[in-house]
């Protein structure tokens, strides 16, 4: 399952501040690797030993929908207490 590129593109579009922060800090590769591993574990747990192609595709969609989720930057700002 290709997860890295769809996740990266979604982050760039939906969470540009997170994308830029990870890129500037040099932590992007580590973050992506962690998410790819999480997606692989989740997919493995969801699938039976000999899955059908339809079952694989359905599980991949569930993994993507679950893991490619970013809070809106507006809601993230509202949750962050103001600095004093």
């Amino acid at each position: 399952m290709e997860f890295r590129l769809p996740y990266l593109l979604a982050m760039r579009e939906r969470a540009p501040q997170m994308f830029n922060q990870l890129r500037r800090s040099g932590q992007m590769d580590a973050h992506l690797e962690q998410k790819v591993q999480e997606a692989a574990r989740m997919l493995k747990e969801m699938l039976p030993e000999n899955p059908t192609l339809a079952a694989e595709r359905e599980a991949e969609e569930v993994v993507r929908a679950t893991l490619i989720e970013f809070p809106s930057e507006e809601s993230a700002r509202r949750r962050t207490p103001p600095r004093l």
Side-chain angles (χ1 to χ4, degrees), residues 1 5 58 80:
M1 173 175 117
L5 183 59
E58 185 176 339
T80 304

Side-chain angles (χ1 to χ4, degrees), residues 45-59:
E45 290 171 4
M46 291 178 68
L47 290 174
E49 193 165 316
N50 295 311
T52 64
L53 184 56
E56 284 183 26
R57 288 186 177 159
E58 185 176 339

Side-chain angles (χ1 to χ4, degrees), residues 11-58:
M11 183 191 335
R12 186 173 69 181
E13 179 183 315
R14 298 181 208 157
Q17 287 181 341
M18 178 182 175
F19 177 87
N20 289 329
Q21 179 185 12
L22 287 168
R23 192 176 47 121
R24 281 190 221 115
S25 69
Q27 297 176 348
M28 181 67 79
D29 287 337
H31 177 77
L32 287 173
E33 186 58 34
Q34 177 185 2
K35 286 296 187 178
V36 166
Q37 289 177 6
E38 185 178 356
R41 275 191 308 273
M42 187 175 179
L43 187 62
K44 185 178 179 181
E45 290 171 4
M46 291 178 68
L47 290 174
E49 193 165 316
N50 295 311
T52 64
L53 184 56
E56 284 183 26
R57 288 186 177 159
E58 185 176 339

